[in-house]
């Protein structure tokens, strides 16, 4: 059975978003949610990230914390901190393409490092009480870099390896390297999850028929744009665009009223809620989408959302 995963997206998939997504769309089938990456700052996890991970909004969902690290020390320190908070499962980020992270040796910069490959394999072996999964790209600069990392990963047991088949230099656009992805599936001992550019139920079908050996599908921007996507595929019933918008507006209303209750001041609320629509231009239409982007206060924001018909 195909497993489904909601990709972590900084600035979007925080505890509140995950909670209301789960409430509105997440029941059938089970979706695994991930925290955006957690990293060390002055030897500690940022308070914001701790709050997100331990929020009561996470209850009742499958949530996996994700960590990003540049060396063995950071990796082991983060695993230790998460273990002390009671985590049983950890996702290792070896794919982040943000120059701020790769420039410091984290994320996709770890793929071509045998030292990091070894460190990850040792961390997995040394923590048998934790289930590990991993998220990676094919490489930082070259789509064959994964060949350096994979032998280390093949030595240990991982729940799965999610692969976004781009190199970090491409960021989030450009062609997917599907030949290399196919080669990676053939060489991985651990289950492989596909991640990249899935926007419609038809895209899910296409990937499953092209890569029948994958164990699951992870979706990021496509789910932010169309939160019902997995539900639609699973039920075998595509919703009409008007139904999708109606459902999305209900989801939005709940999230906004939660922000109204928990955040302080108009500018904080508006800066938290606007990203809700960032990837939904095709779903809600260019006019409403642009008006939402431009809205400088709550009154204008409400008028812009009212343009979604
Ligand atoms: C703004 C932004 C923030 C992201 N933050 C994270 C993150 O914290 N951890 C991570 O593993 N991936 C992160 N990603 C990558 C996504 O999880 C996903 O791999 C990528 O968007 C490709 O999948 P998609 O085409 O389904 O969106 C981020 C992507 C974007 C666009």
């Amino acid at each position: 059975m195909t497993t489904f995963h909601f990709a972590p997206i900084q600035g979007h998939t925080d505890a509140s978003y995950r909670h209301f997504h789960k409430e509105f769309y997440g029941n059938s089938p089970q979706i695994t949610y991930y925290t955006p990456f957690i990293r060390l700052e002055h030897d500690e996890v940022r308070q914001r990230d701790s709050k997100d991970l331990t929020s009561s909004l996470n209850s009742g969902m499958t949530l996996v914390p994700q960590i990003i690290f540049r060396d063995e020390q950071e990796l082991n320190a983060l695993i230790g901190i998460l273990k002390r908070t009671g985590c049983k499962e950890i996702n290792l980020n070896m794919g982040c393409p943000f120059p701020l992270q790769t420039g410091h040796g984290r994320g996709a910069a770890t793929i071509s490092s045998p030292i990091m490959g070894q460190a990850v394999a040792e961390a997995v072996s040394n923590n048998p009480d934790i289930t590990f999964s991993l998220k990676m790209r094919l490489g930082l600069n070259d789509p064959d870099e994964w060949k350096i990392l994979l032998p280390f990963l093949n030595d240990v047991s991982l729940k799965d390896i999610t692969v976004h088949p781009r190199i970090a230099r491409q960021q989030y656009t450009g062609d997917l390297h599907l030949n290399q992805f196919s080669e990676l599936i053939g060489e991985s001992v651990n289950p492989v999850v596909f991640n990249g550019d899935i926007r419609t139920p038809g895209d899910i079908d296409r990937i499953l028929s092209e890569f029948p050996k994958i164990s699951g599908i992870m979706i990021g921007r496509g789910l932010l744009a169309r939160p019902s996507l997995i539900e639609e595929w699973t039920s075998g019933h595509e919703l009409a665009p008007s139904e999708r918008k109606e459902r999305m507006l209900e989801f939005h209303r709940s999230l906004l009223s939660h922000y109204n209750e928990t955040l302080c001041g108009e500018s904080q609320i508006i800066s938290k809620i606007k990203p809700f629509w960032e990837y939904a231009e095709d779903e809600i239409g260019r006019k409403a989408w642009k008006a939402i982007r431009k809205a400088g206060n709550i009154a204008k924001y409400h008028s812009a959302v009212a343009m979604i018909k």
Side-chain angles (χ1 to χ4, degrees), residues 151-170:
F152 294 101
L153 304 185
N154 277 346
D155 276 347
V156 289
S157 173
L158 298 167
K159 186 173 181 196
D160 48 46
I161 301 175
T162 297
V163 180
H164 178 57
R166 287 195 168 97
I167 54 170
R169 208 151 31 90
Q170 291 175 283

Side-chain angles (χ1 to χ4, degrees), residues 15-25 251 254-255 258:
S16 328
Y17 185 95
R18 296 189 303 260
H19 173 82
F20 288 103
H21 182 271
K22 162 88 181 149
E23 185 170 312
F24 281 87
Y25 305 97
F251 172 23
S254 290
L255 190 59
H258 170 75

Side-chain angles (χ1 to χ4, degrees), residues 18 62 86 105 145 215:
R18 296 189 303 260
T62 307
E145 285 173 30
S215 69

Side-chain angles (χ1 to χ4, degrees), residues 24-25 44 46 95 134 146 166 180 201 231 257 268 305-306:
F24 281 87
Y25 305 97
E44 284 181 52
R46 289 181 306 173
L134 191 140
W146 61 271
R166 287 195 168 97
Q180 277 88 347
E231 184 199 279
S257 80
Q268 233 193 51
V305 171

Side-chain angles (χ1 to χ4, degrees), residues 26-27 62 69 81 154 193:
N27 283 322
T62 307
F69 44 86
I81 292 170
N154 277 346
V193 171

Side-chain angles (χ1 to χ4, degrees), residues 7-10 12 35-37 66 91 93 96 98 135 137 164 166 172 195-199 218-222 279:
I9 302 216
Q10 294 277 343
H12 291 267
T35 70
F37 65 70
Q66 184 192 67
N91 183 263
N93 181 323
C96 179
F98 298 151
K135 186 163 177 285
R137 293 209 172 207
H164 178 57
R166 287 195 168 97
Y172 297 101
N195 166 236
D197 295 0
I198 287 184
R199 296 195 157 76
M218 177 181 275
I219 310 175
R221 293 164 296 174
Y279 296 100

